[in-house]
Amino acid sequence: MNRTSIYSWALYDWANSAYATTVMAGFFPIFFKEYFSVSAEVTTSTAQLGFANALSSLIIVTLAPLLGAIADAGGMKKHFLYLFSYLGVLMTACLALVSEGAWELAALLYVGSNIGFMGANVFYDALLPSVSEEKSFDTVSGLGFALGYLGGGVLFAINVWMVQSPQSFGLADTTQAVQASFISVAVWWALFSLPLLFFVKEERRHMISKNALTVVKDGYRRLARTFRNIAGFKGLVLFLIAYWLYIDGVGTVIRMAVDYGMSIGFESNDLILALLIVQFVGFPATLAFSKLADFWGTKNALLFAIGFYLVILVLAVMMTEVHEFYMLAVMIALVQGGIQALSRSYYASMIPKGYAAEFFGFYNFLGKFAAIFGPLLLAVVALVTEDSRAAIASIAVFFILGALLLMKVDAGQTAREVRETLR
């Protein structure tokens, strides 16, 4: 393995996690309500932001499998990664130029930045087999997520400082500080993605003899073949369904933790601090989790993480004090990066190199599609029971079902079946 390629690949996680932390999880939802959609009712601005998130996810869900197939057929993973990532960079920077009350333009730019962020991740994941041997997938995948937590946390901490003390940075007020934060994310994302461009090599033999139209046709043919064949790989199907279930639970915890904390009376400053805790504890924890997988086996480590999430949900239901919220933030940080990294590497171990982008298109498809059902179940339970604690407890069903299916997966046997069929 080439260490330069590995670290250059992993640095992309450092680069784009600034967007996930500062924009998606941190400032944009608050700024959208208080500035871009300032004249709208609270419920109206929530719906506007919800539609923007849904639209960007729907576009990526629709395009990811096809783009993955085309990228594999043409050897163009890096091309597509930079096409999407710099779309995200441009749209994020443009958010700083949107005036107060212009929620339509802000939502449109946010959709574009989200598409760039999620679309690039399809091809970033698919490059894992290009930089690592199979036996090191867990370690290399974990390194990427760990650097993502650290990089996202470093810039987010700086951005929080900017917003809380804008004059220290020569900024007039909080509004200007948030706008500067959007620009800082764009610069950070663009700058730290460059090592992947220069030092990660991708096999491009198809590009020598095939024109663009042929590459697109190959992409459609490969996509159709994947749809036909994937149902025949029992182990792969079981894993994908298991992943779809438990990652829905993980995603719901990520998306709804702040809302849940607010619903039981915690202050917004406490929630921001908890988010910072997750970022910085998540860095060493993700690295440690990959070592656990080396010692214990990837599937066993994943099952442990799922069980740990069930414990977190039980404690969340009983939580009453803010110090308990901080404790849960630490617990989430211990396993959140690990379960994401090991899921990616476990899946990568079952698929052939030449189909990485195509198969990761399906993987990301399920990840994006899963984001719908957990929050939906939580909302329905909350409406029926009028109890936010019962609502958060309902998410346990995703972890339990996911674990039961994951137990039935044999990665080695599945890898042999897939490679023998698709060689």
Side-chain angles (χ1 to χ4, degrees):
M1 291 186 298
N2 185 316
R3 289 185 179 272
T4 301
S5 295
I6 290 172
Y7 283 105
S8 297
W9 176 84
L11 268 177
Y12 184 77
D13 232 320
W14 169 289
N16 77 346
S17 290
Y19 174 83
T21 305
T22 294
V23 180
M24 290 180 68
F27 293 152
F28 185 81
I30 299 171
F31 204 57
F32 187 81
K33 283 183 179 295
E34 297 180 351
Y35 186 76
F36 294 139
S37 192
V38 64
S39 60
E41 296 290 334
V42 171
T43 52
T44 301
S45 62
T46 298
Q48 291 165 347
L49 184 59
F51 281 126
N53 277 304
L55 179 59
S56 56
S57 296
L58 179 61
I59 291 171
I60 289 300
V61 162
T62 303
L63 291 180
L66 175 59
L67 290 177
I70 293 172
D72 274 332
M76 296 188 293
K77 298 182 194 69
K78 285 175 63 175
H79 286 72
F80 277 105
L81 187 152
Y82 280 93
L83 174 67
F84 278 97
S85 63
Y86 281 96
L87 169 66
V89 166
L90 178 61
M91 296 296 102
T92 300
C94 287
L95 284 172
L97 306 177
V98 180
S99 59
E100 184 177 7
W103 72 266
E104 299 95 334
L105 179 57
L108 180 63
L109 293 173
Y110 179 66
V111 167
S113 64
N114 248 343
I115 290 171
F117 173 76
M118 293 186 290
N121 278 341
V122 173
F123 305 101
Y124 171 64
D125 290 344
L127 284 168
L128 175 59
S130 296
V131 299
S132 173
E133 298 172 356
E134 183 176 336
K135 64 181 180 181
S136 302
F137 279 172
D138 290 340
T139 301
V140 175
S141 182
L143 175 64
F145 273 104
L147 287 179
Y149 278 110
L150 183 59
V154 166
L155 186 61
F156 185 55
I158 295 171
N159 292 150
V160 169
W161 182 17
M162 289 169 61
V163 170
Q164 292 182 342
S165 181
Q167 288 76 22
S168 300
F169 293 84
L171 301 168
D173 51 26
T174 299
T175 296
Q176 201 172 86
V178 174
Q179 291 169 334
S181 295
F182 291 150
I183 294 174
S184 73
V185 169
V187 172
W188 183 281
W189 190 354
L191 179 64
F192 288 107
S193 66
L194 291 177
L196 188 150
L197 175 65
F198 293 121
F199 300 114
V200 173
K201 306 300 181 185
E202 178 187 7
E203 188 176 3
R204 297 177 58 191
R205 61 184 183 276
H206 297 291
M207 295 296 291
I208 298 173
S209 58
K210 295 184 178 181
N211 59 37
L213 180 60
T214 303
V215 168
V216 171
K217 289 180 179 178
D218 283 350
Y220 276 106
R221 283 195 291 266
R222 291 168 69 114
L223 179 61
R225 183 173 61 188
T226 303
F227 273 118
R228 289 194 303 268
N229 290 342
I230 198 168
F233 305 130
K234 181 181 177 181
L236 196 60
V237 171
L238 282 175
F239 172 75
L240 287 172
I241 296 174
Y243 170 75
W244 173 60
L245 288 165
Y246 70 72
I247 211 65
D248 198 342
V250 173
T252 304
V253 170
I254 293 171
R255 289 171 176 80
M256 302 305 297
V258 170
D259 182 79
Y260 179 64
M262 293 177 68
S263 72
I264 59 176
F266 298 148
E267 297 294 328
S268 58
N269 285 341
D270 294 324
L271 305 179
I272 290 175
L273 179 57
L275 183 57
L276 283 170
I277 289 172
V278 170
Q279 293 301 123
F280 288 107
V281 175
F283 167 64
T286 303
L287 292 176
F289 222 85
S290 65
K291 297 300 181 183
L292 176 64
D294 290 340
F295 175 75
W296 205 1
T298 305
K299 186 169 82 170
N300 288 333
L302 283 170
L303 290 170
F304 173 79
I306 293 171
F308 204 75
Y309 265 105
L310 287 171
V311 173
I312 289 170
L313 288 177
V314 171
L315 294 176
V317 170
M318 299 187 297
M319 176 175 59
T320 57
E321 303 292 335
V322 70
H323 73 268
E324 295 172 316
F325 191 83
Y326 292 141
M327 180 188 72
L328 289 180
V330 172
M331 292 180 68
I332 290 171
L334 290 175
V335 291
Q336 180 175 290
I339 198 170
Q340 292 172 317
L342 294 185
S343 295
R344 179 169 65 186
S345 60
Y346 195 61
Y347 183 64
S349 71
M350 292 185 280
I351 61 177
K353 276 189 177 181
Y355 294 81
E358 183 178 340
F359 275 62
F360 269 108
F362 283 99
Y363 179 82
N364 281 277
F365 172 90
L366 288 176
K368 302 301 180 293
F369 194 64
I372 300 170
F373 294 97
L376 180 61
L377 174 63
L378 189 146
V380 170
V381 174
L383 287 173
V384 172
T385 65
E386 298 183 349
D387 184 349
S388 59
R389 297 182 188 275
I392 201 71
S394 69
I395 303 307
V397 67
F398 292 101
F399 291 111
I400 293 170
L401 293 176
L404 291 174
L405 288 176
L406 182 60
M407 289 178 185
K408 300 178 180 294
V409 179
D410 184 331
Q413 180 181 342
T414 300
R416 289 190 295 271
E417 293 174 355
V418 172
R419 288 165 187 170
E420 286 175 4
T421 303
L422 297 179
R423 62 185 176 182

